Amino acid sequence: MSRNSENIEVVVLGGGYGGVKAANRLARRAGVSVTLVNPRPDFVERIRLHQLVTGSDDAVEDFEEVLGRNVRLVVDTATLIAHAERRVSLAGGGNLVYDHLVYAVGSGASAPGVPGAAEFAHTVADLDGARRLRSTLAETPATAPVTVVGAGLTGVETAAELAEAGRHVTLVCGGVLGPSLHARGRRPVARRLAALGVRVLEGAGTRVTEVTRDAVRLADGRDVTGAVTVWTAGFRVPDLAARSGLSTDAHGRLVTDPTLTSVDDDRIVAAGDAGVITGRPFRMSCQAAVQLGTGAADTILRRIAGKSPAPVRLLFAGQCLSLGREEGVTQFSYPDDRVNALHLSGRSAAGVKEIACRSTLRQLVAGARKAGSRAVREDGSGPRRNVPA
């Protein structure tokens, strides 16, 4: 039952892909009031942050484009979920009560755990980090070497983007290049990086053991000099669930059942990187987040309707990565996200990646229209930013 006999209150924590998808879907139902809490007033296109670094995209959209006007926006950060009381405490001092809660706080750059990394390395995992990196590069001579640590998709895309912009880049893999790709899919990635002049260091000996102001030290004893170091190895999730006494896995993700419901509280569901289904870990990705946002909303809507929620089924198509603005690689996969030998490369793959980025945003915009068209600010010019008492 709702605390308000006329409305069911749903609070969504996090305005990324999963949170926005869930909020818009929930707001379409009569009798459901949706409040979305996000630390900043704009939606961040995280899959374009590497483009922000070189200036080919700003990676930001106004929430008025992606949130329906039936969704209230609170620009703040959740500090505690008092789930027994169904209340969220905010950093700004306010509180929000809820009947159902969507935990979609996302992920950010991992703590490297390597001496000097926190002090000297930049990240591209969030908007602030990407903007700081761009500012630092603007103040660094174009001929100065740049080191990118981590050869996952983020590291590869960042290295290629910087190299295409004229930077002298070394990509330190710490293992294999593109570990999530099929061996055949790695080959065109390596060729494109070589063509861009990226120096790729692979193998167990390339694990970084220390970062200094102007170099990184590798496990094999080598020092790789660089005026700027970019750390892209790994992600971590906020510790909000753990601090709130909810069950989490070893990575801090909220543990859920197959319906995305917290194993501790059936009023809480997870969407996106910050949750994990027991026994079914999935790759942190935008592709997963939009599906999980839909699934989280559907679980809540079925409970509101007095029905049992259905297990969420994730279907994957593959992995798209840009290698600069001119080329890319599309790695196809089986529906369960296991990669296969099929792939595209070159300009056609760059086009696929751009289509994927645009279509994801269009999904959110379409959801906003169904949830009441554009959000409206309190002054009538943009998103409503509701400040709780």
Side-chain angles (χ1 to χ4, degrees):
M1 294 290 292
S2 169
R3 301 183 191 190
N4 183 328
S5 60
E6 297 180 357
N7 279 295
I8 293 171
E9 299 288 343
V10 180
V11 171
V12 179
L13 300 182
Y17 297 100
V20 168
K21 194 72 182 289
N24 284 335
R25 194 170 184 86
L26 288 161
R28 291 161 55 185
R29 190 189 190 281
V32 175
S33 296
V34 182
T35 299
L36 185 142
V37 181
N38 197 62
R40 60 176 63 256
D42 300 302
F43 174 76
V44 177
E45 282 194 271
R46 189 169 176 179
I47 52 180
R48 291 194 186 273
L49 285 175
H50 62 288
Q51 292 182 246
L52 183 154
V53 173
T54 57
S56 64
D57 199 284
D58 65 6
V60 169
E61 292 289 337
D62 198 308
F63 268 123
E64 72 176 23
E65 297 293 334
V66 300
L67 268 188
R69 66 182 304 164
N70 291 341
V71 179
R72 297 178 295 169
L73 175 63
V74 173
V75 181
D76 209 330
T77 300
T79 57
L80 187 71
I81 303 168
H83 52 97
E85 303 160 22
R86 302 209 299 270
R87 174 176 51 81
V88 176
S89 299
L90 303 176
N95 293 281
L96 294 171
V97 296
Y98 63 85
D99 295 300
H100 298 274
L101 182 138
V102 179
Y103 188 79
V105 294
S107 64
S110 65
V114 172
E119 182 179 1
F120 298 114
H122 290 267
T123 69
V124 289
D126 56 48
L127 184 64
D128 292 336
R131 284 175 170 172
R132 284 192 295 268
L133 174 57
R134 182 178 179 182
S135 296
T136 296
L137 289 169
E139 298 168 358
T140 304
T143 55
V146 177
T147 302
V148 177
V149 179
L153 302 190
T154 302
V156 169
E157 289 191 316
T158 302
E161 204 79 23
L162 290 169
E164 190 178 70
R167 294 284 176 175
H168 301 288
V169 180
T170 297
L171 178 61
V172 178
C173 298
V176 68
L177 174 67
S180 67
L181 305 176
H182 190 278
R184 292 187 182 180
R186 293 183 193 124
R187 294 170 190 167
V189 173
R191 287 196 297 268
R192 174 59 174 166
L193 292 175
L196 289 170
V198 177
R199 176 190 177 201
V200 178
L201 302 180
E202 292 187 84
T206 63
R207 180 176 56 84
V208 174
T209 59
E210 184 181 3
V211 180
T212 65
R213 188 178 301 278
D214 55 7
V216 299
R217 175 156 292 179
L218 307 184
D220 61 14
R222 284 181 290 172
D223 286 339
V224 179
T225 59
V228 178
T229 297
V230 186
W231 193 279
T232 69
F235 296 96
R236 67 172 174 179
V237 301
D239 65 352
L240 176 62
R243 281 190 285 109
S244 301
L246 296 166
S247 295
T248 59
D249 71 356
H251 302 287
R253 296 176 293 186
L254 179 71
V255 177
T256 77
D257 68 13
T259 71
L260 304 182
T261 304
S262 164
V263 296
D264 302 306
D265 190 333
D266 63 8
R267 297 280 182 158
I268 299 175
V269 299
D273 292 352
V276 62
I277 299 172
T278 303
R280 287 174 51 196
F282 44 82
R283 178 169 52 88
M284 293 182 179
S285 66
C286 165
Q287 190 174 175
V290 292
Q291 297 181 75
L292 292 165
T294 299
D298 287 349
T299 288
I300 291 175
L301 290 172
R302 288 184 70 85
R303 283 205 169 96
I304 290 172
K307 301 176 181 178
S308 297
V312 172
R313 185 183 180 194
L314 297 180
L315 297 176
F316 294 88
Q319 303 171 38
C320 302
L321 62 156
S322 59
L323 298 170
R325 296 298 86 212
E326 301 298 324
E327 295 192 24
V329 167
T330 300
Q331 167 70 73
F332 294 102
S333 71
Y334 300 106
D336 63 1
D337 205 28
R338 289 180 299 118
V339 296
N340 55 47
L342 296 176
H343 64 274
L344 291 177
S345 61
R347 288 182 177 272
S348 58
V352 170
K353 173 60 186 284
E354 185 60 27
I355 289 170
C357 290
R358 293 183 181 183
S359 64
T360 300
L361 186 62
R362 282 199 295 268
Q363 281 187 54
L364 302 185
V365 171
R369 289 172 179 164
K370 292 177 181 178
S373 191
R374 289 187 173 187
V376 179
R377 298 182 198 269
E378 291 180 341
D379 62 5
S381 63
R384 288 182 294 178
R385 295 176 185 171
N386 296 273
V387 180

